[in-house]
Amino acid sequence: MQIHHLPYADPGEPDVRSGTRFLLWLGRNQLGGQVKSLLWGLLLHLGIAGSPLGVGLAVQAVIDRSGGDLARAGALLAVLGAAIAVGDTMMHRTAVTNWITAAARVQQLLARKSAELGSLLNRRVAAGEVVAVSTGDVEKIGWFVETLSRFAAAATTLVLVCVGLVVYQPALGVVVAAGVPVLALAALPLLPRATRRADVQREKAGRATELASDTVAGLRVLRGIGGEDLFLGRYREASQQVREAAVHSARMWALIAAVQVLLPGLLLVVVVVYGAGLALEGRVTVGELVTVYGAVALAHHPLRNFEEIAMAYSFSRPSAKRAAGVLALTRTAATGPAAAGEPPAGETPAGDLPAGPLPLGETPAGGPPGGDLYDPVTGLLAPAGLFTAVVCGDPDAAGRLADRLGGHPPGEPEAHVSVLLGGTPLDELPLGTARTAVLVQDKDPVLLSGTLRELLDVPASGRVTPGDALAAARCGDVLDALAQASADPGGDPMDTRITERGRSLSGGQRQRLALARSLVTDPEVLVLDEPTSAVDSHTEARVAAGVRQLRTGRTTVVLASSPLLLDLADRVVFVRDGRAVAVGTHCELLAAEERYRAVVTRETEEDTLVDIEEPA
């Protein structure tokens, strides 16, 4: 895989059982690039390791006054120099390629998982952690993957050098062969402590990143309550903790680096002293001594890869663990009889809700299924083609219900019971088909930066134009504001750029633009969670009327408690304690259901009890 071939057509299915297994899986999936880097690394290291032999032969040729031997030594050095130049260039090229392609694979996996989980992702993983995984963690993971081949080349070179020296000059070669493994493994006792310190640094850095991300997201609110200094102090404290942890970790790595310098120096002293004695005894020649000395002196080059692989693993393992944790998240796992459309044993849905789903819709060829939307957990039924309002009373419960209707359980996937659309479990549909069939807009939708035209350029049926959607969401004032903000006076507001998350707009304007984006998609079922909570009552009534008119004949579910919305609904379902307990029109429920009236009219519990106790 080359850089210009990115992105991957299929990044594969990762092994996410642990961080180490994930790293090894990445290495295996880049076997071709690893082999190339290994071979070029061998050429580089062997060229460096062979240079002392050429120097030793040249020195001996001068001592022996042999012009032919000197010429041959010069030719050997020239060949080795060319090998070093080519090997260094190509190894760097292939190693960087391995780094970038590994990082790209991880980023694609994370992007695919984010698209699969949708809004469920930030309910299971903090937004700051997702940012940390997709940025810094990706780089550290790529670093370890690319060091694998360079480490393998260095280790192979050291083995070959030791064997070659034993064959070339047994008396000195045995000393080197005994000392090099000690040099390579000397840092092992220090690695656990260095790894722990690196883990602490990584944890503190992740917390600081999460704090910064959350602070930026809530900057407008912080400024409104004068809390900038408070959160600035918290971030400054977190930043100082990261600095202290980094210094603490760096000290250990400095000690490891010192060991990697000190021990080769000691081995070099031993070789020189012992070799000089052998030379005085006439057991080795000066050229052989120079060769062995040079080989030991240059051994630090491949030995540095041992330190680097240890450091790369220490830093990348927690990063890989975090990435594997995100990639291990699953969409759903429907189990139990209710997953097949049966309500819990001994329970019957309230009102006119059936004991099981009504398979009124059929699955058209090549398209999503149609029909009623049914939730076996709550007993909620949203008939096909109708405008259904759901009143929960608890905003958190409403949010969880909206997630479940979209196939995103907020709890453990193993305990999830699939929602059914036209009798078909939503979990059994391909992800793309399920997303086309049911679209959920939560109460805090996100607007991406870009022009309004780009914001509304989303996968859609084509039946609803951006103009129709903007009109239904009553975005006239938003268009006027964008036109005034346009760099070109009198320009098209559709081409005006919207800042990140729409922070230049008010909360109500952002909410209506998000609603218009959802209306443009024109899904089979549209689920809206408090779509008008940030607008005034007059605008809310107009938005509700616009949505109802535009969605005529399409299934729409709105979770809200506003009488202006409820009065326009074809049917209202009252959900209490996780079950649908009453169904009817808004007026019918106001008259017949005291608990419903208490939620909608904001009556206190005492007022409700008085109403219940008063005689008719």
mmCIF file with all atom_site columns, all heavy atoms in Angstrom, residues 359-377:
data_model
loop_
_atom_site.group_PDB
_atom_site.id
_atom_site.type_symbol
_atom_site.label_atom_id
_atom_site.label_alt_id
_atom_site.label_comp_id
_atom_site.label_asym_id
_atom_site.label_entity_id
_atom_site.label_seq_id
_atom_site.pdbx_PDB_ins_code
_atom_site.Cartn_x
_atom_site.Cartn_y
_atom_site.Cartn_z
_atom_site.occupancy
_atom_site.B_iso_or_equiv
_atom_site.pdbx_formal_charge
_atom_site.auth_seq_id
_atom_site.auth_comp_id
_atom_site.auth_asym_id
_atom_site.auth_atom_id
_atom_site.pdbx_PDB_model_num
ATOM 1   N N   . PRO A 1 359 ? -47.610 -5.661 11.033 1.00 0.00 ? 359 PRO A N   1
ATOM 2   C CA  . PRO A 1 359 ? -46.805 -5.657 9.809  1.00 0.00 ? 359 PRO A CA  1
ATOM 3   C C   . PRO A 1 359 ? -47.607 -5.124 8.629  1.00 0.00 ? 359 PRO A C   1
ATOM 4   O O   . PRO A 1 359 ? -47.908 -5.838 7.676  1.00 0.00 ? 359 PRO A O   1
ATOM 5   C CB  . PRO A 1 359 ? -46.452 -7.130 9.640  1.00 0.00 ? 359 PRO A CB  1
ATOM 6   C CG  . PRO A 1 359 ? -47.590 -7.866 10.267 1.00 0.00 ? 359 PRO A CG  1
ATOM 7   C CD  . PRO A 1 359 ? -48.063 -7.010 11.405 1.00 0.00 ? 359 PRO A CD  1
ATOM 8   N N   . LEU A 1 360 ? -47.991 -3.849 8.725  1.00 0.00 ? 360 LEU A N   1
ATOM 9   C CA  . LEU A 1 360 ? -48.802 -3.273 7.661  1.00 0.00 ? 360 LEU A CA  1
ATOM 10  C C   . LEU A 1 360 ? -47.973 -2.924 6.441  1.00 0.00 ? 360 LEU A C   1
ATOM 11  O O   . LEU A 1 360 ? -48.471 -2.886 5.335  1.00 0.00 ? 360 LEU A O   1
ATOM 12  C CB  . LEU A 1 360 ? -49.517 -2.018 8.176  1.00 0.00 ? 360 LEU A CB  1
ATOM 13  C CG  . LEU A 1 360 ? -50.432 -2.229 9.395  1.00 0.00 ? 360 LEU A CG  1
ATOM 14  C CD1 . LEU A 1 360 ? -51.016 -0.887 9.815  1.00 0.00 ? 360 LEU A CD1 1
ATOM 15  C CD2 . LEU A 1 360 ? -51.518 -3.227 9.060  1.00 0.00 ? 360 LEU A CD2 1
ATOM 16  N N   . GLY A 1 361 ? -46.692 -2.612 6.677  1.00 0.00 ? 361 GLY A N   1
ATOM 17  C CA  . GLY A 1 361 ? -45.848 -2.191 5.569  1.00 0.00 ? 361 GLY A CA  1
ATOM 18  C C   . GLY A 1 361 ? -45.149 -3.370 4.933  1.00 0.00 ? 361 GLY A C   1
ATOM 19  O O   . GLY A 1 361 ? -45.022 -4.447 5.498  1.00 0.00 ? 361 GLY A O   1
ATOM 20  N N   . GLU A 1 362 ? -44.722 -3.189 3.738  1.00 0.00 ? 362 GLU A N   1
ATOM 21  C CA  . GLU A 1 362 ? -43.951 -4.194 3.031  1.00 0.00 ? 362 GLU A CA  1
ATOM 22  C C   . GLU A 1 362 ? -42.598 -3.601 2.665  1.00 0.00 ? 362 GLU A C   1
ATOM 23  O O   . GLU A 1 362 ? -42.445 -2.388 2.574  1.00 0.00 ? 362 GLU A O   1
ATOM 24  C CB  . GLU A 1 362 ? -44.683 -4.656 1.765  1.00 0.00 ? 362 GLU A CB  1
ATOM 25  C CG  . GLU A 1 362 ? -46.038 -5.309 2.058  1.00 0.00 ? 362 GLU A CG  1
ATOM 26  C CD  . GLU A 1 362 ? -46.720 -5.737 0.788  1.00 0.00 ? 362 GLU A CD  1
ATOM 27  O OE1 . GLU A 1 362 ? -46.171 -5.447 -0.293 1.00 0.00 ? 362 GLU A OE1 1
ATOM 28  O OE2 . GLU A 1 362 ? -47.789 -6.353 0.869  1.00 0.00 ? 362 GLU A OE2 1
ATOM 29  N N   . THR A 1 363 ? -41.661 -4.480 2.461  1.00 0.00 ? 363 THR A N   1
ATOM 30  C CA  . THR A 1 363 ? -40.324 -4.031 2.103  1.00 0.00 ? 363 THR A CA  1
ATOM 31  C C   . THR A 1 363 ? -40.203 -3.947 0.594  1.00 0.00 ? 363 THR A C   1
ATOM 32  O O   . THR A 1 363 ? -40.138 -4.971 -0.086 1.00 0.00 ? 363 THR A O   1
ATOM 33  C CB  . THR A 1 363 ? -39.271 -5.001 2.649  1.00 0.00 ? 363 THR A CB  1
ATOM 34  O OG1 . THR A 1 363 ? -39.454 -5.098 4.048  1.00 0.00 ? 363 THR A OG1 1
ATOM 35  C CG2 . THR A 1 363 ? -37.876 -4.511 2.343  1.00 0.00 ? 363 THR A CG2 1
ATOM 36  N N   . PRO A 1 364 ? -40.184 -2.763 0.022  1.00 0.00 ? 364 PRO A N   1
ATOM 37  C CA  . PRO A 1 364 ? -40.049 -2.658 -1.416 1.00 0.00 ? 364 PRO A CA  1
ATOM 38  C C   . PRO A 1 364 ? -38.664 -3.076 -1.861 1.00 0.00 ? 364 PRO A C   1
ATOM 39  O O   . PRO A 1 364 ? -37.693 -2.921 -1.131 1.00 0.00 ? 364 PRO A O   1
ATOM 40  C CB  . PRO A 1 364 ? -40.280 -1.151 -1.684 1.00 0.00 ? 364 PRO A CB  1
ATOM 41  C CG  . PRO A 1 364 ? -39.965 -0.483 -0.387 1.00 0.00 ? 364 PRO A CG  1
ATOM 42  C CD  . PRO A 1 364 ? -40.262 -1.453 0.683  1.00 0.00 ? 364 PRO A CD  1
ATOM 43  N N   . ALA A 1 365 ? -38.596 -3.603 -3.060 1.00 0.00 ? 365 ALA A N   1
ATOM 44  C CA  . ALA A 1 365 ? -37.312 -4.080 -3.576 1.00 0.00 ? 365 ALA A CA  1
ATOM 45  C C   . ALA A 1 365 ? -36.330 -2.931 -3.664 1.00 0.00 ? 365 ALA A C   1
ATOM 46  O O   . ALA A 1 365 ? -36.607 -1.914 -4.272 1.00 0.00 ? 365 ALA A O   1
ATOM 47  C CB  . ALA A 1 365 ? -37.504 -4.715 -4.961 1.00 0.00 ? 365 ALA A CB  1
ATOM 48  N N   . GLY A 1 366 ? -35.151 -3.126 -3.035 1.00 0.00 ? 366 GLY A N   1
ATOM 49  C CA  . GLY A 1 366 ? -34.094 -2.133 -3.115 1.00 0.00 ? 366 GLY A CA  1
ATOM 50  C C   . GLY A 1 366 ? -34.300 -0.933 -2.232 1.00 0.00 ? 366 GLY A C   1
ATOM 51  O O   . GLY A 1 366 ? -33.545 0.024  -2.298 1.00 0.00 ? 366 GLY A O   1
ATOM 52  N N   . GLY A 1 367 ? -35.341 -0.919 -1.379 1.00 0.00 ? 367 GLY A N   1
ATOM 53  C CA  . GLY A 1 367 ? -35.600 0.249  -0.548 1.00 0.00 ? 367 GLY A CA  1
ATOM 54  C C   . GLY A 1 367 ? -35.859 -0.159 0.880  1.00 0.00 ? 367 GLY A C   1
ATOM 55  O O   . GLY A 1 367 ? -35.971 -1.336 1.208  1.00 0.00 ? 367 GLY A O   1
ATOM 56  N N   . PRO A 1 368 ? -35.964 0.819  1.772  1.00 0.00 ? 368 PRO A N   1
ATOM 57  C CA  . PRO A 1 368 ? -36.220 0.514  3.178  1.00 0.00 ? 368 PRO A CA  1
ATOM 58  C C   . PRO A 1 368 ? -37.645 0.037  3.373  1.00 0.00 ? 368 PRO A C   1
ATOM 59  O O   . PRO A 1 368 ? -38.522 0.309  2.556  1.00 0.00 ? 368 PRO A O   1
ATOM 60  C CB  . PRO A 1 368 ? -35.973 1.861  3.857  1.00 0.00 ? 368 PRO A CB  1
ATOM 61  C CG  . PRO A 1 368 ? -36.264 2.878  2.794  1.00 0.00 ? 368 PRO A CG  1
ATOM 62  C CD  . PRO A 1 368 ? -35.843 2.254  1.515  1.00 0.00 ? 368 PRO A CD  1
ATOM 63  N N   . PRO A 1 369 ? -37.911 -0.681 4.459  1.00 0.00 ? 369 PRO A N   1
ATOM 64  C CA  . PRO A 1 369 ? -39.275 -1.142 4.716  1.00 0.00 ? 369 PRO A CA  1
ATOM 65  C C   . PRO A 1 369 ? -40.170 0.027  5.083  1.00 0.00 ? 369 PRO A C   1
ATOM 66  O O   . PRO A 1 369 ? -39.722 1.070  5.546  1.00 0.00 ? 369 PRO A O   1
ATOM 67  C CB  . PRO A 1 369 ? -39.098 -2.106 5.896  1.00 0.00 ? 369 PRO A CB  1
ATOM 68  C CG  . PRO A 1 369 ? -37.878 -1.601 6.597  1.00 0.00 ? 369 PRO A CG  1
ATOM 69  C CD  . PRO A 1 369 ? -36.982 -1.081 5.508  1.00 0.00 ? 369 PRO A CD  1
ATOM 70  N N   . GLY A 1 370 ? -41.464 -0.153 4.884  1.00 0.00 ? 370 GLY A N   1
ATOM 71  C CA  . GLY A 1 370 ? -42.437 0.845  5.292  1.00 0.00 ? 370 GLY A CA  1
ATOM 72  C C   . GLY A 1 370 ? -43.363 0.239  6.317  1.00 0.00 ? 370 GLY A C   1
ATOM 73  O O   . GLY A 1 370 ? -43.300 -0.948 6.622  1.00 0.00 ? 370 GLY A O   1
ATOM 74  N N   . GLY A 1 371 ? -44.244 1.054  6.874  1.00 0.00 ? 371 GLY A N   1
ATOM 75  C CA  . GLY A 1 371 ? -45.195 0.539  7.839  1.00 0.00 ? 371 GLY A CA  1
ATOM 76  C C   . GLY A 1 371 ? -45.054 1.220  9.176  1.00 0.00 ? 371 GLY A C   1
ATOM 77  O O   . GLY A 1 371 ? -44.380 2.237  9.329  1.00 0.00 ? 371 GLY A O   1
ATOM 78  N N   . ASP A 1 372 ? -45.735 0.644  10.179 1.00 0.00 ? 372 ASP A N   1
ATOM 79  C CA  . ASP A 1 372 ? -45.751 1.225  11.512 1.00 0.00 ? 372 ASP A CA  1
ATOM 80  C C   . ASP A 1 372 ? -44.384 1.081  12.188 1.00 0.00 ? 372 ASP A C   1
ATOM 81  O O   . ASP A 1 372 ? -43.670 0.100  11.977 1.00 0.00 ? 372 ASP A O   1
ATOM 82  C CB  . ASP A 1 372 ? -46.809 0.527  12.377 1.00 0.00 ? 372 ASP A CB  1
ATOM 83  C CG  . ASP A 1 372 ? -48.205 0.687  11.800 1.00 0.00 ? 372 ASP A CG  1
ATOM 84  O OD1 . ASP A 1 372 ? -48.370 1.523  10.898 1.00 0.00 ? 372 ASP A OD1 1
ATOM 85  O OD2 . ASP A 1 372 ? -49.114 -0.037 12.241 1.00 0.00 ? 372 ASP A OD2 1
ATOM 86  N N   . LEU A 1 373 ? -44.084 2.046  13.033 1.00 0.00 ? 373 LEU A N   1
ATOM 87  C CA  . LEU A 1 373 ? -42.895 1.980  13.871 1.00 0.00 ? 373 LEU A CA  1
ATOM 88  C C   . LEU A 1 373 ? -43.350 1.554  15.256 1.00 0.00 ? 373 LEU A C   1
ATOM 89  O O   . LEU A 1 373 ? -44.209 2.200  15.862 1.00 0.00 ? 373 LEU A O   1
ATOM 90  C CB  . LEU A 1 373 ? -42.196 3.338  13.931 1.00 0.00 ? 373 LEU A CB  1
ATOM 91  C CG  . LEU A 1 373 ? -40.904 3.397  14.758 1.00 0.00 ? 373 LEU A CG  1
ATOM 92  C CD1 . LEU A 1 373 ? -39.803 2.609  14.062 1.00 0.00 ? 373 LEU A CD1 1
ATOM 93  C CD2 . LEU A 1 373 ? -40.463 4.848  14.945 1.00 0.00 ? 373 LEU A CD2 1
ATOM 94  N N   . TYR A 1 374 ? -42.759 0.468  15.769 1.00 0.00 ? 374 TYR A N   1
ATOM 95  C CA  . TYR A 1 374 ? -43.223 -0.102 17.042 1.00 0.00 ? 374 TYR A CA  1
ATOM 96  C C   . TYR A 1 374 ? -42.033 -0.376 17.944 1.00 0.00 ? 374 TYR A C   1
ATOM 97  O O   . TYR A 1 374 ? -41.031 -0.977 17.520 1.00 0.00 ? 374 TYR A O   1
ATOM 98  C CB  . TYR A 1 374 ? -43.997 -1.403 16.787 1.00 0.00 ? 374 TYR A CB  1
ATOM 99  C CG  . TYR A 1 374 ? -44.418 -2.111 18.053 1.00 0.00 ? 374 TYR A CG  1
ATOM 100 C CD1 . TYR A 1 374 ? -45.404 -1.583 18.873 1.00 0.00 ? 374 TYR A CD1 1
ATOM 101 C CD2 . TYR A 1 374 ? -43.819 -3.314 18.430 1.00 0.00 ? 374 TYR A CD2 1
ATOM 102 C CE1 . TYR A 1 374 ? -45.792 -2.237 20.031 1.00 0.00 ? 374 TYR A CE1 1
ATOM 103 C CE2 . TYR A 1 374 ? -44.195 -3.971 19.592 1.00 0.00 ? 374 TYR A CE2 1
ATOM 104 C CZ  . TYR A 1 374 ? -45.180 -3.422 20.396 1.00 0.00 ? 374 TYR A CZ  1
ATOM 105 O OH  . TYR A 1 374 ? -45.553 -4.061 21.545 1.00 0.00 ? 374 TYR A OH  1
ATOM 106 N N   . ASP A 1 375 ? -42.149 0.068  19.194 1.00 0.00 ? 375 ASP A N   1
ATOM 107 C CA  . ASP A 1 375 ? -41.115 -0.173 20.199 1.00 0.00 ? 375 ASP A CA  1
ATOM 108 C C   . ASP A 1 375 ? -41.640 -1.147 21.236 1.00 0.00 ? 375 ASP A C   1
ATOM 109 O O   . ASP A 1 375 ? -42.491 -0.787 22.054 1.00 0.00 ? 375 ASP A O   1
ATOM 110 C CB  . ASP A 1 375 ? -40.714 1.150  20.864 1.00 0.00 ? 375 ASP A CB  1
ATOM 111 C CG  . ASP A 1 375 ? -39.694 0.948  21.972 1.00 0.00 ? 375 ASP A CG  1
ATOM 112 O OD1 . ASP A 1 375 ? -38.946 -0.060 21.910 1.00 0.00 ? 375 ASP A OD1 1
ATOM 113 O OD2 . ASP A 1 375 ? -39.654 1.782  22.892 1.00 0.00 ? 375 ASP A OD2 1
ATOM 114 N N   . PRO A 1 376 ? -41.151 -2.397 21.240 1.00 0.00 ? 376 PRO A N   1
ATOM 115 C CA  . PRO A 1 376 ? -41.671 -3.388 22.195 1.00 0.00 ? 376 PRO A CA  1
ATOM 116 C C   . PRO A 1 376 ? -41.390 -3.042 23.653 1.00 0.00 ? 376 PRO A C   1
ATOM 117 O O   . PRO A 1 376 ? -42.098 -3.513 24.537 1.00 0.00 ? 376 PRO A O   1
ATOM 118 C CB  . PRO A 1 376 ? -40.938 -4.682 21.790 1.00 0.00 ? 376 PRO A CB  1
ATOM 119 C CG  . PRO A 1 376 ? -40.480 -4.451 20.388 1.00 0.00 ? 376 PRO A CG  1
ATOM 120 C CD  . PRO A 1 376 ? -40.194 -2.986 20.295 1.00 0.00 ? 376 PRO A CD  1
ATOM 121 N N   . VAL A 1 377 ? -40.376 -2.245 23.909 1.00 0.00 ? 377 VAL A N   1
ATOM 122 C CA  . VAL A 1 377 ? -40.028 -1.933 25.295 1.00 0.00 ? 377 VAL A CA  1
ATOM 123 C C   . VAL A 1 377 ? -41.086 -1.049 25.940 1.00 0.00 ? 377 VAL A C   1
ATOM 124 O O   . VAL A 1 377 ? -41.570 -1.327 27.038 1.00 0.00 ? 377 VAL A O   1
ATOM 125 C CB  . VAL A 1 377 ? -38.647 -1.258 25.364 1.00 0.00 ? 377 VAL A CB  1
ATOM 126 C CG1 . VAL A 1 377 ? -38.337 -0.808 26.797 1.00 0.00 ? 377 VAL A CG1 1
ATOM 127 C CG2 . VAL A 1 377 ? -37.568 -2.207 24.868 1.00 0.00 ? 377 VAL A CG2 1
#
